[in-house]
Amino acid sequence: MPDFSFLLLHVGSPGASAKFYNELLDIPIIQQSPTFAMLPLRDGVMLGLWSRASVEPKTAGQPGCSEVAFTVSDAAAVEETHTAWKTRGLAIAQPPTRMDFGTTFVALDPDGHRLRVFAPEAA
Protein backbone atom coordinates (compact mmCIF):
# COMPACT_ATOMS: atom_id res chain seq x y z
CA MET A 1 0.00 0.00 0.00
CA PRO A 2 1.40 3.47 -0.85
CA ASP A 3 2.35 5.75 2.04
CA PHE A 4 0.32 8.91 2.68
CA SER A 5 2.85 11.71 2.29
CA PHE A 6 1.22 14.96 1.13
CA LEU A 7 -1.72 17.20 1.75
CA LEU A 8 -1.95 19.49 -1.29
CA LEU A 9 -3.87 22.75 -1.35
CA HIS A 10 -4.36 24.70 -4.57
CA VAL A 11 -3.66 28.34 -3.76
CA GLY A 12 -3.50 31.73 -5.45
CA SER A 13 0.02 32.50 -4.22
CA PRO A 14 2.25 29.69 -2.90
CA GLY A 15 4.63 32.25 -1.35
CA ALA A 16 1.89 34.07 0.54
CA SER A 17 0.26 30.81 1.63
CA ALA A 18 3.61 29.40 2.77
CA LYS A 19 4.20 32.49 4.89
CA PHE A 20 0.69 32.19 6.35
CA TYR A 21 1.15 28.52 7.38
CA ASN A 22 4.74 29.13 8.52
CA GLU A 23 3.56 31.81 10.94
CA LEU A 24 0.29 30.14 11.96
CA LEU A 25 1.71 26.67 12.67
CA ASP A 26 5.32 27.67 13.43
CA ILE A 27 6.71 25.25 10.83
CA PRO A 28 9.54 25.94 8.37
CA ILE A 29 9.18 26.44 4.64
CA ILE A 30 11.47 23.73 3.28
CA GLN A 31 10.91 24.28 -0.44
CA GLN A 32 9.65 27.26 -2.40
CA SER A 33 9.37 28.22 -6.06
CA PRO A 34 7.01 30.56 -7.93
CA THR A 35 4.43 27.76 -8.34
CA PHE A 36 4.93 25.55 -5.26
CA ALA A 37 5.88 25.61 -1.59
CA MET A 38 6.27 22.81 0.92
CA LEU A 39 6.19 22.71 4.72
CA PRO A 40 6.55 19.67 7.00
CA LEU A 41 3.55 18.73 9.10
CA ARG A 42 4.44 15.62 11.13
CA ASP A 43 5.30 11.96 10.77
CA GLY A 44 6.74 12.58 7.30
CA VAL A 45 3.58 14.21 5.93
CA MET A 46 4.11 17.43 4.01
CA LEU A 47 1.83 20.37 3.29
CA GLY A 48 2.14 21.25 -0.38
CA LEU A 49 0.88 24.60 -1.65
CA TRP A 50 0.49 24.47 -5.42
CA SER A 51 -0.36 27.46 -7.59
CA ARG A 52 -3.96 27.05 -8.74
CA ALA A 53 -2.92 28.49 -12.13
CA SER A 54 -0.28 25.80 -12.73
CA VAL A 55 -1.99 22.65 -11.35
CA GLU A 56 -2.13 19.83 -13.90
CA PRO A 57 -4.67 18.61 -14.64
CA LYS A 58 -6.59 21.82 -14.03
CA THR A 59 -8.67 21.82 -10.89
CA ALA A 60 -12.43 22.29 -10.84
CA GLY A 61 -12.79 22.47 -7.06
CA GLN A 62 -13.45 25.63 -5.12
CA PRO A 63 -11.71 26.61 -1.87
CA GLY A 64 -13.82 25.78 1.15
CA CYS A 65 -15.21 22.52 -0.23
CA SER A 66 -12.84 20.52 1.98
CA GLU A 67 -11.14 20.97 5.33
CA VAL A 68 -7.79 20.62 7.05
CA ALA A 69 -8.40 19.52 10.64
CA PHE A 70 -6.29 20.04 13.75
CA THR A 71 -6.93 18.16 17.00
CA VAL A 72 -6.41 19.84 20.38
CA SER A 73 -6.67 18.38 23.88
CA ASP A 74 -9.97 19.78 25.14
CA ALA A 75 -12.71 22.40 24.74
CA ALA A 76 -10.59 25.01 26.55
CA ALA A 77 -7.83 24.53 23.95
CA VAL A 78 -10.42 25.02 21.19
CA GLU A 79 -11.40 28.34 22.80
CA GLU A 80 -7.74 29.39 23.25
CA THR A 81 -6.86 28.57 19.64
CA HIS A 82 -9.98 30.37 18.41
CA THR A 83 -9.00 33.50 20.35
CA ALA A 84 -5.40 33.35 19.10
CA TRP A 85 -6.38 32.84 15.46
CA LYS A 86 -9.07 35.52 15.59
CA THR A 87 -6.51 37.92 17.11
CA ARG A 88 -4.19 37.10 14.17
CA GLY A 89 -6.96 38.24 11.84
CA LEU A 90 -8.13 34.90 10.47
CA ALA A 91 -11.68 34.90 9.16
CA ILE A 92 -13.88 32.71 11.35
CA ALA A 93 -16.50 30.68 9.48
CA GLN A 94 -17.85 28.96 12.60
CA PRO A 95 -17.30 30.15 16.18
CA PRO A 96 -16.59 27.58 18.90
CA THR A 97 -19.51 25.17 18.82
CA ARG A 98 -20.30 21.92 20.59
CA MET A 99 -21.20 19.22 18.06
CA ASP A 100 -21.82 15.49 18.32
CA PHE A 101 -18.11 14.69 17.75
CA GLY A 102 -16.77 17.33 20.18
CA THR A 103 -16.08 21.05 20.42
CA THR A 104 -14.92 22.79 17.25
CA PHE A 105 -14.46 26.03 15.33
CA VAL A 106 -13.62 26.74 11.69
CA ALA A 107 -11.28 29.45 10.40
CA LEU A 108 -10.36 30.23 6.79
CA ASP A 109 -6.93 30.54 5.22
CA PRO A 110 -6.25 33.36 2.70
CA ASP A 111 -7.64 31.20 -0.14
CA GLY A 112 -10.79 30.23 1.74
CA HIS A 113 -9.70 26.70 2.69
CA ARG A 114 -11.41 25.61 5.91
CA LEU A 115 -9.19 25.05 8.95
CA ARG A 116 -11.13 23.08 11.57
CA VAL A 117 -9.82 22.91 15.13
CA PHE A 118 -11.55 20.38 17.35
CA ALA A 119 -11.37 18.51 20.62
CA PRO A 120 -12.96 15.08 20.30
CA GLU A 121 -15.79 14.19 22.67
CA ALA A 122 -14.42 12.16 25.57
CA ALA A 123 -15.34 8.50 25.28
Side-chain angles (χ1 to χ4, degrees), residues 5-68:
S5 60
F6 263 89
L7 170 64
L8 290 170
L9 298 178
H10 302 160
V11 299
S13 169
S17 290
K19 182 178 188 293
F20 170 82
Y21 284 102
N22 163 260
E23 292 174 355
L24 183 68
L25 302 176
D26 193 30
I27 54 177
I29 302 167
I30 61 173
Q31 180 182 344
Q32 192 165 1
S33 74
T35 61
F36 185 79
M38 183 168 55
L39 300 90
L41 292 175
R42 61 178 235 192
D43 300 328
V45 176
M46 299 292 165
L47 174 61
L49 304 166
W50 197 351
S51 170
R52 192 176 306 112
S54 68
V55 169
E56 291 292 337
K58 297 294 181 200
T59 184
Q62 297 295 315
C65 64
S66 60
E67 297 181 354
V68 179

Side-chain angles (χ1 to χ4, degrees), residues 65-76:
C65 64
S66 60
E67 297 181 354
V68 179
F70 304 90
T71 306
V72 295
S73 59
D74 55 31

Side-chain angles (χ1 to χ4, degrees), residues 9-10 61-67 106-109 111-115:
L9 298 178
H10 302 160
Q62 297 295 315
C65 64
S66 60
E67 297 181 354
V106 176
L108 303 176
D109 79 1
D111 288 280
H113 298 289
R114 292 172 165 220
L115 307 176

Side-chain angles (χ1 to χ4, degrees), residues 70-78 80-81 117-122:
F70 304 90
T71 306
V72 295
S73 59
D74 55 31
V78 170
E80 291 168 12
T81 306
V117 174
F118 73 101
E121 191 70 31

